[in-house]
Amino acid sequence: MVSEHAEHAPEPGSAAASTAQVLVASNRGPVSYTLGEDGTLDAKRGGGGLVSGLSAVDDKLWVCAALGDGDREAVRRGVGEAGVRMLDIDAGVHADAYNGIANSVLWFVHHLLYQTPVEPVFDAEFRRQWASYEAYNRAFAEALAEEAGPGASVLVQDYHLALVPGMLRELRPDLRIGHFSHTPWAPVDYFRLLPDDIAEQLLRGILGADRAAFLTRRWADAFIGCCTEILGGTGRTRIGVHGLGADADFLRRRSHEADVDERMAALREQVGEGRKTIVRVDRTELSKNIVRGLHAFRALLDAHPEWRERVVHIAFAYPSRQDLAVYRDYTAAVQTLATEINGAYGTESWTPVVLHVKDDFARSLAAYRLADVALVNPIRDGMNLVAKEVPVVSDQGCALVLSREAGAYEELGEDAIVVNPYDVVGTAEALHEALTMSGDERSGRTKRLAEAATALPPQQWFLDQLEALRQG
């Protein structure tokens, strides 16, 4: 619980505020606030690789956006956490920048999601929203310029803030600026779907950084290809690769707490005695390919009827971006298809698909521990930490069915069963191969997968970037 007497953030531009030596900028910060009916503010800490990674640094400031009414009220009251500056950017500007451009254009470009016969359409409305994206990025650049101490290191995160490095460079040429892309980067022919001036502006924005980094060499090379084709090169910006790994210590400890054990017992009851499990845990994000995964499971039951009553597909599909119609439709399609499969194949004692759509981290960890097979089949993914987390947590070892279009493929592909994410029949056969894998082979593969998955845990991932940026 946070009251109005909580620690206040320093005023922008004040002496106390302008000494930070490590700054991180991202759309979402490490804390969010909800406003109660009685006017109180509740603070909730976030998780993820960036939060974990930043814990390794003491003298830091995290600049983020106020994402909801609670966050904006916290900013207005001066409520905040030490080391966090939350920007109260106009809600309409944020909606245009975040939903209109970042999630509906840049995400679609980098994940190759457009149905190109009918989209995209870069019209006057797009240009209006693009102006908001520029304003949103400018607000971050100005805040970072105010807060950074002389010669500070600034690490800007992701596609939401692609213009910030260039803007910040103009305001504070003394700073060391890095940009990290958590998504894939589109190949040049697809990137050029964007209007020419916008494509150039995005590239020049990132090239305002001293160093631009990516999750895999493939995405870094795609960025270099775009810069070479459109701008003639990457200029003085150095390019790096840092493959974010799973936090093994945290996952192993958290996955054996009491609430996880409770979820495991409930899941075992839903699955039934003696049955194998195929587990997936995803947001209902278009790129995650959940619908084709369900089609592949149905194809498995058709092609190999011996698995009927002997395997259960545990599918956790947590709703994502439900303020966008296309995501609401996709979530509904996942639910409809799971219901159809259960209706067509299920029996009184066997539910083929156990689908949960309410986010529950403890239940996700329980599913990881129960997994005989992990299905990770994205159309395209910057990394995909689920592919790395399941082998770390699995109790008995699991076989990983992995899309070759996931960034994790670069590190895990040798010990995974690799699939073309569009090939439903091929994925069904991969599931069959995974289910029939011998215990010894599965154990050996799981051990090697876990070792590869934890090679660069979040704290080291962040420190490596910071060190590389400071080296110049």
Side-chain angles (χ1 to χ4, degrees):
M1 182 73 70
V2 176
S3 73
E4 291 186 57
H5 300 291
E7 183 171 355
H8 285 228
E11 289 296 321
S14 69
S18 301
T19 59
Q21 285 301 304
V22 177
L23 299 93
V24 168
S26 64
N27 176 67
R28 183 178 300 277
V31 63
S32 61
Y33 298 90
T34 55
L35 183 63
E37 292 183 4
D38 61 354
T40 58
L41 286 168
D42 284 316
K44 181 180 179 181
R45 296 289 302 178
L50 192 57
V51 172
S52 179
L54 265 170
S55 66
V57 180
D58 292 327
D59 179 20
K60 60 181 181 286
L61 178 71
W62 195 323
V63 178
C64 58
L67 299 184
D69 292 340
D71 288 355
R72 293 189 177 91
E73 183 62 21
V75 175
R76 283 191 285 270
R77 295 184 190 182
V79 172
E81 285 197 9
V84 178
R85 179 175 171 185
M86 193 173 279
L87 306 180
D88 185 10
I89 298 168
D90 176 81
V93 170
H94 182 269
D96 284 343
Y98 181 71
N99 284 329
I101 298 298
N103 289 342
S104 295
V105 176
L106 302 184
W107 182 273
F108 272 58
V109 167
H110 289 315
H111 290 83
L112 317 185
L113 292 177
Y114 280 123
Q115 299 181 61
T116 52
V118 293
E119 57 182 8
V121 178
F122 295 123
D123 54 11
E125 174 64 9
F126 164 77
R127 293 288 175 169
R128 186 192 68 77
Q129 292 180 328
W130 182 257
S132 292
Y133 182 79
E134 292 174 315
Y136 172 73
N137 276 249
R138 192 172 299 111
F140 270 85
E142 290 172 352
L144 291 164
E146 290 172 353
E147 299 285 3
S153 298
V154 181
L155 291 103
V156 181
Q157 305 297 309
D158 230 357
Y159 61 104
H160 313 93
L161 303 176
L163 304 182
V164 167
M167 292 174 171
L168 183 57
R169 174 68 62 211
E170 293 182 0
L171 295 170
R172 290 288 303 273
D174 63 301
L175 300 178
R176 304 298 298 172
I177 304 171
H179 185 277
F180 193 90
S181 293
H182 295 262
T183 65
W185 193 271
V188 64
D189 287 347
Y190 206 89
F191 187 73
R192 298 201 80 164
L193 288 174
L194 292 166
D196 290 352
D197 61 317
I198 300 299
E200 182 173 336
Q201 190 178 352
L202 283 165
L203 296 175
R204 291 196 186 282
I206 292 177
L207 292 180
D210 296 284
R211 194 168 185 273
F214 300 84
L215 286 165
T216 72
R217 173 50 53 187
R218 180 183 179 187
W219 311 141
D221 288 346
F223 176 76
I224 293 169
C226 288
C227 291
T228 301
E229 179 74 19
I230 296 171
L231 303 178
T234 57
R236 296 181 179 180
T237 302
R238 293 173 293 121
I239 308 299
V241 174
H242 303 274
L244 175 62
D247 187 341
D249 292 340
F250 165 74
L251 287 168
R252 286 171 179 147
R253 180 180 69 253
R254 180 68 182 87
S255 64
H256 286 85
E257 292 181 3
D259 59 342
V260 177
D261 290 336
E262 291 172 6
R263 274 35 167 219
M264 282 188 70
L267 283 173
R268 281 199 181 100
E269 186 173 344
Q270 287 182 290
V271 169
E273 190 68 30
R275 293 187 175 120
K276 288 186 177 291
T277 59
I278 298 170
V279 169
R280 82 171 306 137
V281 177
D282 279 309
R283 294 175 294 111
T284 53
E285 210 295 311
L286 306 182
S287 66
K288 299 300 183 182
N289 210 22
I290 301 168
V291 168
R292 285 194 190 89
L294 287 167
H295 280 303
F297 180 66
R298 179 163 61 184
L300 170 73
L301 299 179
D302 284 336
H304 298 279
E306 67 270 23
W307 286 115
R308 297 183 189 184
E309 305 241 23
R310 293 179 54 214
V311 65
V312 171
H313 185 13
I314 299 175
F316 295 165
Y318 301 140
S320 173
R321 300 176 183 170
Q322 294 299 289
D323 44 354
L324 297 176
V326 65
Y327 284 89
R328 293 195 298 273
D329 292 344
Y330 190 75
T331 300
V334 169
Q335 293 172 303
T336 297
L337 184 51
T339 300
E340 288 177 0
I341 293 171
N342 286 337
Y345 300 91
T347 66
E348 189 173 331
S349 61
W350 173 56
T351 302
V353 180
V354 172
L355 176 69
H356 287 282
V357 295
K358 184 178 180 181
D359 197 349
D360 185 327
F361 183 58
R363 187 174 57 209
S364 297
L365 290 174
Y368 288 179
R369 288 181 58 187
L370 287 173
D372 294 298
V373 177
L375 174 58
V376 180
N377 67 319
I379 293 168
R380 195 168 168 87
D381 217 332
M383 177 55 70
N384 197 295
L385 282 179
V386 171
K388 293 187 168 185
E389 291 168 351
V390 180
V392 173
V393 172
S394 174
D395 281 356
Q396 303 299 323
C398 72
L400 175 63
V401 175
L402 179 65
S403 167
R404 67 191 185 197
E405 298 303 315
Y409 165 73
E410 285 195 13
E411 296 163 87
L412 307 183
E414 189 173 333
D415 286 296
I417 301 171
V418 178
V419 295
N420 172 346
Y422 300 96
D423 184 354
V424 168
V425 172
T427 302
E429 289 305 312
L431 291 173
H432 176 68
E433 180 183 346
L435 288 166
T436 55
M437 186 180 293
S438 72
D440 286 346
E441 182 179 357
R442 188 172 69 173
S443 177
R445 287 193 188 213
T446 302
K447 181 180 179 181
R448 293 189 295 274
L449 287 167
E451 289 173 353
T454 56
L456 193 62
Q459 288 194 1
Q460 194 59 48
W461 169 80
F462 185 80
L463 289 173
D464 283 1
Q465 292 178 63
L466 184 60
E467 179 63 22
L469 180 60
R470 286 172 166 171
Q471 283 177 353

